[in-house]
Amino acid sequence: MEQLNLRHLYYFWVISREGSIARASEVLELAPQTLSGQLATFEASVGGRLFSRERRQLILTDLGRLVLGYADDIFVLTGELSETLRLAPSDRPLTLRAGISASIHKLIAYHLLQPAMAGERPVQLECQTGRTEDLVLSLKRKELDVILTDYMPKVQDDGNLTVHPLAGSSISLFAAPGLAGQLRDNFPESLNDQPLLANAVDAPYFERLMKWFSLNGVRMNLVARIDDSALIKVFGSQGYGVFAAPTAIQEEVCRQYEVERIASIDEVMDELFAITRDRRISHEGVRAICRTQPVDARFLPR
C-alpha cells in the first residue's frame, strides 16, 4: 500500500459510526451501491476484510477495529482543526514551544513564561527541558520558538540566533528552620563544615557561588549532587543540608518547602537570557517574554 486513500478511509469511518451502508449513504449523500463499491476498493487496498456480516449487521473484524482506531484519531483531529479554522485569526490558540535549560529553577521559568500566557490570545504551551546546547540545535531546526537559559551559549557568531538579556537575581541560601536559625549568626563563617546540597546540572550561578565560598574562606561538606531543583529543596526541607536558590523566588521557596532563608549573597547573580532565531521577533508570545521585565523588585534588570 503506497498511499492511503483518505476519502475511502472517511467512508469506512462513517459506515462504522452509522452501523450500515444504507444509513451511511444517507449521511454521505451517495448511492448505497457506490458506497459499497468504495468500501470494497478500500478493503482491497488494506489487504483484508474490514467488516463481516452477521444477521444483516456489519461487524468490525480485527483489522477493521485496528483501522477504526486510527480513523477516530485522524477525523477527531480534523474536526478540531475545522473548528479552529472557523475562528477569527486573533481568536485561534497560539502555540508557544519553549525550551528551558534544566538548570533554571522551575519557579523562575514560570515567571519568565507568564507574560506570554497573560495576553488576550489563548496560548497552547509546549515546554521542553534539557541542556542549552541541545536546545539550541532544536531552535535551529525550528522545533522551538524560544529558549530560556541561565547559560550564555556561544551563538554570537551565528547570525541566525539572537540572545536577549532578560533579568538577574541575587542568590540566597536556604535550610530547614532549625538549621537556618543556627547558621544566620556569624555568617558566612557559620557555614564551615555544614552539609551542602549541590546542583548537578552545572548551573552557572552555582559555579559563582563556589567561587564566592572560596574567596570568603568557606568550606562546606558536599553531601549530595542533585539534577532536579525541586528535589534539592525537598531534601533541604527535611534537614539534609543547605541549598541555594534565586532570591527573587524566596517567598515561594519558603512557603512551598517550609524552609527559611539564611542569607542573601548579592555578589552572586543568576543571569537569565532568551534565545530566538531572529532579531526581529514575529511570535506574539516570544515578544511578550523578551519585552516584559519581571515586576518583582528583587529581580535586577540588566
Side-chain angles (χ1 to χ4, degrees):
M1 185 173 60
E2 295 182 358
Q3 185 174 0
L4 187 68
N5 188 311
L6 290 181
R7 183 175 296 277
H8 290 166
L9 177 63
Y10 181 67
Y11 291 162
F12 159 74
W13 185 63
V14 174
I15 294 170
S16 301
R17 294 179 61 184
E18 296 300 323
S20 73
I21 290 178
R23 287 197 294 270
S25 66
E26 295 176 2
V27 172
L28 296 169
E29 297 183 350
L30 291 173
Q33 296 86 348
T34 301
L35 187 56
S36 180
Q38 297 288 337
L39 176 61
T41 300
F42 185 54
E43 288 180 322
S45 70
V46 299
R49 297 293 299 274
L50 299 173
F51 295 101
S52 62
R53 288 186 176 274
E54 296 181 12
R55 297 179 181 178
R56 297 185 179 181
Q57 290 184 333
L58 292 179
I59 305 299
L60 286 167
T61 63
D62 289 341
L63 178 60
R65 284 190 291 271
L66 173 66
V67 174
L68 180 61
Y70 285 96
D72 282 338
D73 292 339
I74 291 170
F75 294 118
V76 167
L77 287 174
T78 301
E80 292 177 0
L81 175 60
S82 297
E83 291 297 323
T84 299
L85 293 177
R86 291 191 185 99
L87 298 173
S90 59
D91 294 330
R92 294 173 188 166
L94 180 68
T95 299
L96 174 59
R97 300 165 300 173
I100 302 171
S101 174
S103 55
I104 287 185
H105 282 261
K106 304 306 180 285
L107 289 171
I108 291 288
Y110 165 76
H111 283 299
L112 295 178
L113 290 169
Q114 199 275 335
M117 305 294 291
E120 294 182 0
R121 188 171 178 182
V123 173
Q124 291 181 342
L125 179 63
E126 299 176 7
C127 292
Q128 174 184 337
T129 61
R131 297 171 61 250
T132 298
E133 294 85 351
D134 297 333
L135 296 174
V136 166
L137 294 178
S138 295
L139 182 66
K140 290 181 177 179
R141 293 193 295 263
K142 299 185 178 181
E143 297 169 357
L144 297 173
D145 300 307
V146 65
I147 297 172
L148 303 177
T149 181
D150 55 0
Y151 169 70
M152 175 67 80
K154 297 178 180 178
V155 300
Q156 293 86 346
D157 297 332
D158 193 325
N160 296 322
L161 297 180
T162 302
V163 177
H164 307 265
L166 295 179
S169 170
S170 63
I171 292 298
S172 290
L173 299 179
F174 301 84
L179 181 58
Q182 298 173 21
L183 300 181
R184 287 195 191 96
D185 294 335
N186 199 31
F187 180 87
E189 289 81 2
S190 60
L191 297 175
N192 279 309
D193 298 322
Q194 294 298 321
L196 175 66
L197 303 171
N199 193 313
V201 291
D202 298 325
Y205 77 81
F206 195 81
E207 296 177 10
R208 300 182 190 115
L209 179 62
M210 293 299 99
K211 291 180 181 179
W212 187 88
F213 283 163
S214 179
L215 289 173
N216 287 270
V218 173
R219 292 188 177 182
M220 299 191 69
N221 178 24
L222 180 63
V223 296
R225 292 184 65 86
I226 303 172
D227 67 357
D228 185 293
S229 61
L231 186 57
I232 290 175
K233 297 177 182 64
V234 172
F235 272 89
S237 70
Q238 299 302 310
Y240 282 94
V242 175
F243 65 90
T247 307
I249 56 173
Q250 64 175 339
E251 291 182 3
E252 290 129 311
V253 169
C254 292
R255 180 176 62 253
Q256 185 172 344
Y257 296 96
E258 298 181 343
V259 295
E260 294 182 2
R261 182 176 65 89
I262 300 168
S264 296
I265 306 174
D266 294 337
E267 297 88 342
V268 179
M269 294 291 297
D270 183 26
E271 299 176 314
L272 304 167
F273 309 92
I275 306 174
T276 61
R277 280 189 297 275
D278 302 299
R279 185 175 300 276
R280 188 179 182 87
I281 303 172
S282 59
H283 194 292
E284 295 176 23
V286 177
R287 276 205 309 270
I289 291 170
C290 295
R291 180 178 62 242
T292 305
Q293 292 290 340
V295 297
D296 193 321
R298 289 163 300 186
F299 274 103
L300 303 178
R302 291 181 55 80

